[in-house]
Amino acid sequence: MAATIAEKIFSMKCGRSVRAGDVVMAPVDAAMIHDITGPLAVRVFREMGGERVYDPERIIMLFDHQVPADSIPAAENHVFMRQFAAEQGIHNYDLLEGVCHQVVMEKGRAAPGEIIVGTDSHTCTYGAAGAFATGIGSTDMGFVLKFGALYFRVPESILVEVDGRFGRRVGPKDLILSLAGDIGADGATYMALEFTGRAMEKMNMAGRMTCANMAIEMGAKAGIVRPDAATWDYVAARRDIEPFDLAGDVDATYRDRRRYDVTDLAPQVAVPHNVDNVVDVTKVAGTKVDQVFIGSCTNGRYEDLFEAAEVMGSADAFAPGVRVIVIPASRTEYLKALRAGLIERFVEAGALVEAPCCGPCMGGAFGLLAPGEVSLSTSNRNFRGRQGSTQALVYLSSPATAAASALYGEITDPREV
């Protein structure tokens, strides 16, 4: 029978044909835990009588949310996880590599057809590699650590066909924000977004990661980019793997089919306090900003930093009174930017360039906002209190829009810079 990508992945893993709506116990190819939710998962694992994890080589551990430790409890969590890794023989990337979702991708820990879970809602990022990747709670992760499998309800899918060619200084972040505005924060609840179309095929892996990353902002269980030559080249450069065909069938049953053309898409901005409250940048241009954050698992890759630097052009400095925080998503991405001269460029313009981590995105470490302050961020959420005070305002945009706004001290259309 015809099937979606999600149905095909679960059918392969379960060894039988399964359809959307079926509840299955499926094996997990990899499980990711980090410094915030990892300790809870480990405690559940032990409460279940767990002594040894199902396969230490399939467990991915790293620290990224509170690094370096910003409090004694954070430091204690790090020690707890390090001890568990040593006890179980799990390779721990610790705080050395960067944000979990970037590290999983660049280390080749995700590939087409795999089922990957993580105790972080943006685990769906790995769908850029053609995997079914989804965030789960710490209780579920405790079960996975012990048994290497988990119950899933095979999700329905929404086919998202994206065609056209992006205009100047418009890109993947603008696309996914526009989709969030169109589909809504709960419009894809417990579904898989299946991305395809000519615009997706032309998109680099960094852009695909941005799109898959924000599938959860529409309630989706996963966001999967149909694997193609670019996917296989990216994965094959990181691990031994034989390519195979993995695509949704033309006559597969989808919950919905959405078509988009990016040709006339304008830069998009998500307005407080919801990710699906999206408008063209022209609607909010002129809004004063106190802080601009360029980074996160959504937009902290070299391509994003290059995009921001290109908008800066020959400008000597960011606007007076604007705090600009730049955080590459990983050590690898940091080094790319460093060797290309981008880090020096940002620092000379007045930015604070931090070590790879989540930074202000989670609102728990540094770069927090005071009541009444306004932030423009390239991250993925702008909920009330997300980056500090519940009385602060957080807008979301692309790196190009963020850089343009940092130059002028107000939300600015990057096409006009």
Side-chain angles (χ1 to χ4, degrees), residues 72 78 121 191 285 339:
I72 293 175
H78 293 180
S121 58
M191 300 180 201
R339 289 163 180 157

Side-chain angles (χ1 to χ4, degrees), residues 177-201:
L177 285 176
S178 70
L179 263 62
D182 182 52
I183 294 174
D186 59 356
T189 299
Y190 211 102
M191 300 180 201
L193 296 181
E194 186 176 313
F195 296 99
T196 186
R198 288 185 292 275
M200 296 303 302
E201 293 168 1

Side-chain angles (χ1 to χ4, degrees), residues 33-57:
I33 52 178
H34 56 57
D35 52 315
I36 296 293
T37 52
L40 297 174
V42 171
R43 292 188 180 98
V44 171
F45 165 76
R46 287 175 171 162
E47 289 170 2
M48 290 180 175
E51 296 181 359
R52 305 299 302 176
V53 297
Y54 77 104
D55 185 348
E57 293 187 359

Side-chain angles (χ1 to χ4, degrees), residues 211-349:
C211 291
N213 174 272
M214 291 190 66
I216 184 62
E217 308 311 331
M218 289 158 270
K221 191 72 173 174
I224 308 172
V225 180
R226 185 174 292 180
D228 58 12
T231 314
W232 289 111
D233 287 346
Y234 181 91
V235 176
R238 291 161 172 79
R239 61 192 272 187
D240 292 331
I241 190 168
E242 287 294 325
F244 60 91
D245 291 331
L246 180 61
D249 295 321
V250 174
D251 53 346
T253 300
Y254 290 93
R255 176 65 177 271
D256 193 7
R257 294 172 184 259
R258 302 262 182 148
R259 289 182 171 84
Y260 300 91
D261 191 314
V262 300
T263 303
D264 296 320
L265 182 66
Q268 303 289 291
V269 175
V271 177
H273 294 282
N274 291 296
V275 183
D276 62 347
N277 189 11
V278 179
V279 299
D280 286 0
V281 67
T282 54
K283 300 291 185 181
V284 289
T287 302
K288 299 293 184 183
V289 296
D290 298 291
Q291 179 170 293
V292 173
F293 168 40
I294 301 173
S296 83
C297 57
T298 312
N299 283 124
R301 285 166 278 282
Y302 170 80
E303 291 84 350
D304 302 310
L305 303 182
F306 182 87
E307 179 180 313
E310 187 276 328
V311 172
M312 290 171 61
S314 59
D316 294 327
F318 295 119
V322 177
R323 307 185 301 274
V324 180
I325 300 174
V326 178
I327 308 180
S330 71
R331 181 173 62 165
T332 297
E333 299 302 292
Y334 191 113
L335 287 171
K336 287 182 187 176
L338 182 68
R339 289 163 180 157
L342 303 185
I343 301 299
E344 182 178 4
R345 184 79 183 86
F346 295 137
V347 172
E348 287 179 340

